[in-house]
Amino acid sequence: MQKTEQTSVQAPAQSVLSGMRPTGALHLGHYHGALANWVKLQEQYRSYFFVADWHALTTHYESPEVIQTNIREMVIDWLAAGVDPERSILFVQSQVPQHAELHLLLSMCTPLAWLERVPSYKDQQANLSDKDLTTYGFLGYPLLQAADILIYSASWVPVGDDQVPHVELTREVARRFNHLFGREPDFDQRLGHCLKKLDVDDIAALKKSRASWLESGDVNARDAARRLLQHLYLTRSDRQRLAGWIEGGGRQLLLEPQPLLTEASRLPGLDGRKMSKSYGNAIAMRDDPVQLESKIRKMPTDPARVRRSDPGDPEQCPVWDLHKIYSETSVRDWVLEGCTSAAIGCIDCKKPVIEAVQREQALFYQRAEPFVKHPDHVDDILRAGSRIAAAAAEQTMVEVREAMGLSPRWV
Ligand code: TRP
Ligand code: SF4
């Protein structure tokens, strides 16, 4: 009994981290694809959400003037979505220069080929062919992202599927770094000291699981060891040593993160394609309610439904995708029945969607209002968050500098 009480207090909270480039006002695709998930995650994890302004410069270095206004607009939309600065750490990447330092240090030991083969590298160069992206910074984009993640020892990175290769690269970079720099000269001795401090039963359990994992590849045993480790009272460095020892290696200075795929509630744009500002088919989170109504009224429907008397097929209709997100079962049944029998018209069908989106947006407006009135309050939140983030980032950097043979900071 006593032990359970202790361990629940002592287990360090797992961290979640995600970032967005400052694109300005966000749309409903961002809300349902990412922000709604952030809002849930902040209840459960230590959550870092940040504005990736340096990442924006990798592609928009020729138009830097938009960054500042875009940051505020975007963060107001985070707050409008319900991201809570009392729970989450909200900050700006460039305010935490440690990200750049880690990026530089990781660049020393990251093979060029790893970056060249990241799919977004060639794709984006082709897609954004009006820009010159044959730059050093753009090639390093995913490595900077790896630094963003690793510097906070984030366990989970909520992202869309296009970002999974970046998290995968982050894992490889961490593994290589730990392999190269996690072998402390006195590792075995320190590990011994650390094991001596543990409860004998815990040591026995760890040793047994470790052996099953290393000798017969038993993944369950490895996971059991990791879970047990999570619940032990340990210093940060001892935890890193034990974590590495379980894997048969040295100290795990950098934690391998996992992507946390947002179950894609695919929100189509007004024309049925993916919602995107550049396609001009987006509904802003804080769109004008009157404009919103006319936008949805003009939305195309099942092309086979030419006349009101023609039955339709919801699966061929982007409005149906909106019902899947916004409507309860009873309304959806009404649509399925009414559309396929031509009992309802498309205007009838769109009405509940318009109302549901307006209700959602009313909440966004309400939460955003104080910040629209006082944009400096957004800055206050980001300033406070950046300080907290910098302190956490510096903790990792102290270890990284030492492991790479650099002296502690003098200035
Ligand atoms: N590359 C991400 C995107 O375009 C933004 C980003 C930068 C990010 N750093 C990150 C996301 C770290 C997650 C974690 O969406
Ligand atoms: Fe689409 Fe609804 Fe019209 Fe059917 S009735 S085609 S689901 S808008």
Side-chain angles (χ1 to χ4, degrees), residues 17-21 50 52 55 93 141 145 148-149 157-159 162-163 166:
L17 171 132
S18 197
M20 280 189 200
R21 282 167 292 162
F50 74 99
H55 277 111
Q93 184 186 38
Y141 184 113
Q145 184 163 351
D148 298 337
I149 298 168
V157 185
V159 282
D162 60 316
Q163 296 291 312
H166 294 174

Side-chain angles (χ1 to χ4, degrees), residues 301-302 305 314 317 319-320 335 339 344-346 349-350:
T301 61
D302 175 4
R305 225 187 154 186
C317 176
V319 178
W320 176 237
V335 173
C339 176
I344 60 168
C346 293
C349 178
K350 288 173 172 178

Side-chain angles (χ1 to χ4, degrees), residues 61-334:
Y61 56 89
E62 285 176 302
S63 46
E65 62 285 348
V66 294
I67 290 183
Q68 288 316 316
T69 39
N70 278 353
I71 290 180
R72 272 188 180 163
E73 278 303 301
M74 181 171 81
V75 173
I76 290 179
D77 278 338
W78 292 2
L79 299 163
V83 175
D84 180 356
E86 307 262 306
R87 290 173 200 267
S88 299
I89 300 159
L90 308 183
F91 68 99
V92 177
Q93 184 186 38
S94 65
Q95 291 296 328
V96 186
Q98 285 88 345
H99 289 227
E101 187 184 358
L102 184 57
H103 175 215
L104 174 83
L105 293 179
L106 294 176
S107 78
M108 305 299 171
C109 54
T110 302
L112 206 47
W114 289 13
L115 295 171
E116 285 164 342
R117 68 159 196 240
V118 171
S120 58
Y121 180 57
K122 292 213 168 69
D123 291 356
Q124 288 260 68
Q125 277 185 344
N127 289 345
L128 305 175
S129 52
D130 53 325
K131 295 194 175 114
D132 181 3
L133 294 182
T134 56
T135 58
Y136 179 52
F138 187 67
L139 178 67
Y141 184 113
L143 192 62
L144 178 58
Q145 184 163 351
D148 298 337
I149 298 168
L150 296 171
I151 207 161
Y152 301 105
S153 311
S155 302
W156 302 103
V157 185
V159 282
D161 45 12
D162 60 316
Q163 296 291 312
V164 170
H166 294 174
V167 181
E168 206 40 59
L169 174 83
T170 305
R171 293 171 60 83
E172 284 171 40
V173 168
R175 223 173 292 148
R176 182 166 164 84
F177 184 93
N178 291 334
H179 176 73
L180 288 170
F181 304 110
R183 273 279 166 205
E184 299 167 304
D186 51 356
F187 179 79
D188 293 332
Q189 200 187 356
R190 283 172 184 256
L191 182 76
H193 287 315
C194 157
L195 283 171
K196 255 187 242 149
K197 285 181 273 182
L198 299 182
D199 179 282
V200 280
D201 294 341
D202 289 338
I203 299 177
L206 281 174
K207 283 194 170 156
K208 186 159 171 274
S209 300
R210 176 179 185 266
S212 308
W213 163 232
L214 294 181
E215 284 156 27
S216 32
D218 181 346
V219 177
N220 291 331
R222 178 200 64 190
D223 292 346
R226 284 184 184 171
R227 262 196 312 278
L228 175 56
L229 190 59
Q230 267 237 326
H231 290 285
L232 295 177
Y233 176 73
L234 294 163
T235 62
R236 185 176 151 101
S237 46
D238 278 348
R239 188 176 300 285
Q240 294 170 344
R241 288 184 189 107
L242 280 176
W245 169 72
I246 290 170
E247 305 297 331
R251 179 170 166 190
Q252 273 185 8
L253 287 153
L254 301 178
L255 183 80
E256 282 181 44
Q258 311 251 30
L260 197 60
L261 269 176
T262 324
E263 24 166 310
S265 26
R266 273 262 167 255
L267 188 84
L270 292 160
D271 56 1
R273 292 190 290 171
K274 183 179 190 272
M275 189 179 281
S276 156
K277 199 149 73 172
S278 56
Y279 291 160
N281 65 357
I283 302 175
M285 282 178 63
R286 287 175 289 139
D287 219 335
D288 176 81
V290 178
Q291 263 187 21
L292 167 93
E293 178 164 1
S294 86
K295 278 185 185 171
I296 297 186
R297 276 167 174 275
K298 285 191 213 129
M299 261 180 92
T301 61
D302 175 4
R305 225 187 154 186
V306 184
R307 280 171 306 240
R308 165 71 174 75
S309 53
D310 297 333
D313 175 4
E315 291 305 333
Q316 306 303 322
C317 176
V319 178
W320 176 237
D321 289 312
L322 293 180
H323 275 292
K324 285 189 204 154
I325 289 178
Y326 285 99
S327 300
E328 295 180 9
T329 327
S330 56
V331 177
R332 294 210 300 253
D333 289 346
W334 168 79

